[in-house]
Amino acid sequence: MVEKTSWGKGTQMITIDTIQQAATIIKGRVIRTPLVHSPTFSRMFGGEIYLKLENLQKTGAFKIRGATHKLLKHLKKIGSGGVVAASAGNHAQGVALAAKQAGIASTIVMPEWASISKQEATRGYGGKVVIAGQSVAESLSKAQELAGKGKTFVHPFDDADIIAGQGSIALEILEDLKHADIILVPIGGGGLISGIAVAAKTIRPDIKVIGVQAAVCPSAFESCRQGKVTKVESEALSIADGITVKQTGELTFKIIRKYVDEVVLVEEQHIAAAILMLLERKKVLAEGAGAVTLAALLSRTIVIPSGKKAVLLISGGNLDSPLLGRIIGKGLVTHGRIMRLRVHLSDTPGSLSRLLDQVAYLKANVLHIYHDRNVKDIPINISCVEIELETRSSAHIDHICGELQKAGYEMELK
């Protein structure tokens, strides 16, 4: 068995015992989320693939675990000013709900770019929202400033009590699947993977714990590569905003170095594809940060050996509806499920009907159509028709193009 090495700030310690104690404290106050086997993903990626569905948790993400543990453990120490936290979304909602359930006030500092839906959800859970900062780091500074005015600060990840609460996930996984071989975990600041790694490695030293991070903000990856906590600048906004953290915690990094086997990176297109695949194949709504574990398999960054049991942690499902719409639309186009084309037709009765008959014969479904007679630089007897079609695949699109061209249609893909 792995030695019970403890990590912590001051007198705080993190061991399997403290994680088990945290699980006892939060039992009945958080949801014991299901672990489900996916025959589809097992066939696609090899091994036996399981999903730990923290997107079904209260507030839609795992963060409620750590927040509930932190507040209940120190309830008597929290003054009348309540608690203050900083987050772009999930930690905000977790702290707000945990505080509401504990009967204390909460103030949540959110960066200016935090989505409106997550702001409103945080308010709905009883939190007072303060918008401040261009980054989570700047929001953290504001929260710490408020903590100096009589509020108790709750860090999103670099805190032993938060880590212990998140570690309860590993206990549930290994109760449900004793012989799991691999756990893939989203990683940002490191609180989630730290708790899971300590618990899992102590119970089963031979299990592999792998962190998955968005490539546009590779703070944990770079810290592991350089052997020290390393701050990075995000290359761009990520759809996995929940793990877009520019610097891991000091405490979490110590645990990651000790217990985590590997940290890998995934690109935005694979994260988007994973969101769409989870929705279509498993009817599971995952946010970007929650889908990175499947993205690692989609991109073949991680290959599961035949016969091995792998658990993908789906850490949250708080995905904004407008973003979900864009991801679905983009994904359908990318994977040949939507085709957009422009066709020039003779402006005579029946020409549009004949085109649509041809489309129907080719087994494509018309989603949208726009017929325009007033297009610059085309003859007056010609009309322009733009059509969006539902198709089966890229091969189906190629077949449609070939058949329409054979039929004499002048067309171009959009």
Side-chain angles (χ1 to χ4, degrees):
M1 180 177 286
V2 173
E3 60 178 338
K4 292 186 180 180
T5 303
S6 301
W7 304 99
K9 294 179 177 179
T11 60
Q12 291 181 315
M13 299 292 181
I14 305 169
T15 68
I16 186 64
D17 294 330
T18 56
I19 292 171
Q20 288 170 336
Q21 290 165 9
T24 299
I25 289 172
I26 67 176
K27 185 177 181 180
R29 295 177 178 269
V30 303
I31 296 171
R32 193 187 195 286
T33 55
L35 181 72
V36 299
H37 178 250
S38 173
T40 300
F41 293 159
S42 298
R43 288 192 300 271
M44 291 177 66
F45 303 115
E48 292 297 320
I49 307 299
Y50 294 78
L51 308 178
K52 177 63 170 172
L53 298 177
E54 282 294 293
N55 60 306
L56 301 181
Q57 187 56 262
K58 289 181 179 181
T59 73
F62 72 94
K63 290 284 191 175
I64 187 66
R65 293 176 182 265
T68 299
H69 177 235
K70 178 73 175 178
L71 270 57
L72 292 179
K73 183 177 178 181
H74 300 282
L75 190 57
K76 293 181 180 179
K77 301 177 184 178
I78 297 172
S80 59
V83 295
V84 61
S87 167
N90 288 339
H91 181 61
Q93 295 171 64
V95 171
L97 181 57
K100 182 179 181 180
Q101 292 177 335
I104 58 180
S106 64
T107 301
I108 313 297
V109 184
M110 304 184 79
E112 293 179 8
W113 47 265
S115 72
I116 293 174
S117 63
K118 289 180 179 179
Q119 292 178 38
E120 290 306 306
T122 302
R123 292 187 180 98
Y125 290 125
K128 176 185 176 183
V129 174
V130 175
I131 304 298
Q134 293 293 328
S135 66
V136 174
E138 291 179 7
S139 298
L140 278 169
S141 296
K142 178 64 176 179
Q144 288 166 334
E145 175 189 323
L146 293 174
K149 300 177 181 179
K151 300 182 188 297
T152 301
F153 178 63
V154 183
H155 198 282
F157 51 83
D158 206 28
D159 179 283
D161 295 323
I162 294 291
I163 292 168
Q166 322 303 25
S168 62
I169 295 172
L171 302 182
E172 294 177 7
I173 289 172
L174 292 176
E175 285 172 6
D176 292 342
L177 189 67
K178 291 183 179 179
H179 301 294
D181 298 295
I182 305 167
I183 304 177
L184 271 63
V185 185
I187 183 170
L192 174 61
I193 199 170
S194 294
I196 287 176
V198 170
K201 288 284 191 176
T202 305
I203 296 169
R204 283 205 56 197
D206 58 338
I207 198 169
K208 284 192 173 182
V209 179
I210 300 174
V212 186
Q213 188 164 53
V216 298
C217 189
S219 54
F221 179 87
E222 283 299 318
S223 295
C224 291
R225 188 177 70 83
Q226 297 187 32
K228 61 182 181 180
V229 174
T230 302
K231 184 176 182 180
V232 302
E233 294 300 326
S234 300
E235 295 177 8
L237 291 176
S238 173
I239 58 175
D241 59 333
I243 53 173
T244 305
V245 179
K246 295 182 180 181
Q247 183 174 310
T248 61
E250 296 285 346
L251 172 57
T252 57
F253 181 62
K254 290 177 182 177
I255 299 172
I256 290 165
R257 290 195 73 186
K258 175 76 175 180
Y259 289 109
V260 174
D261 293 277
E262 186 180 6
V263 176
V264 301
L265 301 177
V266 289
E267 301 291 343
E268 295 297 297
Q269 68 267 27
H270 293 122
I271 301 172
I275 292 172
L276 185 59
M277 182 173 286
L278 282 164
L279 195 59
E280 285 200 318
R281 300 296 179 90
K282 299 300 295 181
K283 307 303 180 282
V284 168
L285 176 61
E287 61 190 90
V292 294
T293 50
L294 179 60
L297 302 189
L298 270 175
S299 63
R300 301 296 175 180
T301 303
I302 297 293
V303 176
I304 307 301
S306 178
K308 295 295 183 180
K309 295 179 174 64
V311 176
L312 311 187
L313 180 56
I314 309 302
S315 59
N318 292 319
L319 186 61
D320 294 337
S321 297
L323 178 57
L324 175 60
R326 293 198 299 272
I327 289 171
I328 291 173
K330 179 78 172 186
L332 292 174
V333 171
T334 300
H335 294 92
R337 302 280 300 284
I338 286 180
M339 172 187 187
R340 296 188 180 100
L341 68 155
R342 180 184 289 117
V343 182
H344 289 169
L345 295 177
S346 172
D347 193 12
T348 55
S351 60
L352 178 58
S353 176
R354 287 190 291 274
L355 171 63
L356 295 180
D357 285 343
Q358 183 76 4
V359 167
Y361 175 77
L362 295 169
K363 306 300 182 184
N365 184 40
V366 177
L367 299 177
H368 298 287
I369 185 167
Y370 179 66
H371 188 195
D372 190 359
R373 290 183 172 87
N374 302 311
V375 178
K376 185 180 178 181
D377 297 330
I378 66 171
I380 196 168
N381 64 329
I382 298 293
S383 63
C384 179
V385 177
E386 295 185 0
I387 309 178
E388 183 176 88
L389 302 175
E390 181 184 11
T391 49
R392 295 190 302 271
S393 63
S394 297
H396 189 201
I397 289 175
D398 291 342
H399 177 66
I400 291 169
C401 289
E403 291 301 309
L404 290 180
Q405 288 170 345
K406 285 181 184 177
Y409 287 103
E410 182 185 341
M411 52 165 288
E412 60 178 307
L413 291 177
K414 292 185 65 182

